Amino acid sequence: MRRTIVLGIIVLTGVITAAMVSAQQAPAGARGQGGGGGRGGGFTFPPIQPIEKVKDNLYMIQGEGGNTAVYVAENGVVLVDTKVADKGQAILDQVKKVTDKPITTIINTHTHGDHTGSNQFFPASVDIIVQDNTAANMKKMEVFQQEANKNGLPDRTFKDKTTLLKGKDEIDLYYFGPAHTNGDAFVVFKSLQVMHAGDAFANKGQPLIDRNNGGSGVQYPDTLTKAAKGIKNVTTVINGHTTMTTTWQDFVDYGEFNRLFLAHAREAMKAGKSPEQAMMDFKLPEKFKGYNLAGGRGGPGGNFGIIYEELKGAR
Ligand SMILES: [Zn+2]
């Protein structure tokens, strides 16, 4: 009798663990980071926070999805990312606190519903610009199959680099390859030396690698290294999901973190270790002590599971 109960508990634990893993991995692929709502797996975003100043003419709004950057340029306001669905008015209310200028441009750092969710709130005259692959990913999203939401789709795209606006307002958009998705844009407010990194650097922890939208754990480190080399004169970074800005050095270090993670995945896989074992014996240098490796991301095996799959595949 006793033995049956113990066995039952073991089996049940296994089932729960498996369920947790699939619940945490499914959103990464199937629904992205919020297929319109929260992040999946029961995660809900904090409410919209009061608009905060980052630098002169540049602000950030946290909550209800990814961090929205608000850039007050000479002829209008540029938004970077529009949070989850139905937050357009709340975003606008915050923007009105700092300027009367109209919103003229939206840049989406990538396709996910917690970064593109309120695009369609803004009038069709607002110019929406994204990387080529993000445009293709957005066209596949359920929300944009509805005619009424199609004004939220991109009006313009870029491949590797483009510059918006003129003079001191100039904004450079860069793409360096797959990471979080296959369309992660880096948005640089040149005169302010500030970059919005989107979810390529969402926070100091394991990234979400959305393979269904072309993300890659194998290419992640190279993409960040290319960005770190190709982008000049940035001091401050707005992240996809942090409560505070980070520094350029943090961004450079994040590339190294992902390189160490991948190197450990290769070694552990070669040694026949499970993703869970790989996670357990993954040691990081002292400078990464503030990183959060617990929870989220693929359960107890973290991103090792998804990177193993990628390593076993074509590459
Ligand atoms: Zn995302």
Side-chain angles (χ1 to χ4, degrees):
M1 191 68 184
R2 242 199 125 98
R3 206 170 155 256
T4 319
I5 292 170
V6 172
L7 223 96
I9 289 169
I10 291 168
V11 171
L12 193 65
T13 309
V15 170
I16 290 169
T17 308
M20 276 169 65
V21 169
S22 66
Q24 278 159 341
Q25 279 179 342
R31 297 185 54 221
Q33 235 172 6
R39 224 192 283 212
F43 187 92
T44 47
F45 290 108
I48 294 220
Q49 302 296 307
I51 192 164
E52 306 162 66
K53 185 171 175 177
V54 176
K55 289 270 167 84
D56 283 339
N57 300 321
L58 181 64
Y59 303 82
M60 171 168 118
I61 308 169
Q62 297 178 40
E64 298 288 6
N67 286 329
T68 297
V70 178
Y71 186 49
V72 185
E74 180 132 359
N75 295 317
V77 175
V78 178
L79 294 182
V80 182
D81 288 349
T82 62
K83 306 194 178 294
V84 298
D86 304 323
K87 301 301 164 194
Q89 187 59 50
I91 293 170
L92 195 56
D93 291 345
Q94 292 302 318
V95 173
K96 290 254 166 76
K97 288 184 183 178
V98 297
T99 183
D100 292 329
K101 289 180 185 178
I103 290 164
T104 54
T105 310
I106 292 171
I107 300 160
N108 295 122
T109 57
H110 63 289
T111 192
H112 289 153
D114 57 332
H115 297 259
T116 59
S118 292
N119 277 14
Q120 57 270 24
F121 167 84
F122 298 93
S125 58
V126 172
D127 197 22
I128 302 179
I129 177 160
V130 305
Q131 202 274 341
D132 286 341
N133 299 328
T134 288
N137 292 335
M138 285 172 77
K139 277 183 202 133
K140 287 184 250 164
M141 289 170 75
E142 209 181 304
V143 60
F144 294 121
Q145 305 313 309
Q146 293 167 42
E147 206 51 45
N149 294 331
K150 288 205 194 284
N151 71 308
L153 283 168
D155 301 293
R156 287 198 279 159
T157 66
F158 75 100
K159 187 166 180 271
D160 299 312
K161 196 196 164 194
T162 192
T163 301
L164 306 180
L165 309 182
K166 295 251 175 320
K168 68 167 182 46
D169 284 346
E170 275 189 9
I171 300 170
D172 283 338
L173 303 182
Y174 296 89
Y175 174 72
F176 292 100
H180 175 65
T181 70
N182 64 357
D184 305 329
F186 297 92
V187 182
V188 177
F189 303 99
K190 268 167 103 168
S191 64
L192 302 180
Q193 302 188 310
V194 179
M195 173 172 84
H196 195 315
D199 284 355
F201 185 18
N203 52 46
K204 292 181 180 180
Q206 297 183 69
L208 190 146
I209 300 163
D210 181 359
R211 297 268 283 143
N212 280 4
N213 279 304
S216 167
V218 173
Q219 293 178 76
Y220 217 116
D222 287 347
T223 297
L224 293 192
T225 300
K226 282 181 204 161
K229 285 191 177 142
I231 298 169
K232 308 275 181 230
N233 300 318
V234 167
T235 57
T236 305
V237 177
I238 296 173
N239 304 82
H241 291 272
T242 56
T243 55
M244 269 185 296
T245 56
T246 55
T247 65
W248 179 252
Q249 189 58 49
D250 289 327
F251 178 69
V252 173
D253 290 346
Y254 194 61
E256 186 187 339
F257 165 77
N258 282 283
R259 192 168 296 286
L260 293 169
F261 203 98
L262 175 63
H264 186 67
R266 286 188 198 277
E267 258 171 51
M269 197 170 93
K270 217 188 223 168
K273 290 178 183 171
S274 68
E276 291 75 17
Q277 284 170 320
M279 196 58 176
M280 263 187 293
D281 62 19
F282 181 46
K283 296 279 176 290
L284 282 166
E286 182 64 14
K287 69 172 164 188
F288 296 107
K289 67 179 189 302
Y291 274 52
N292 175 22
L293 293 180
R297 305 300 178 259
N303 272 342
F304 288 110
I306 198 165
I307 293 175
Y308 275 23
E309 288 305 311
E310 197 178 342
L311 287 171
K312 282 182 214 154
R315 279 182 289 267

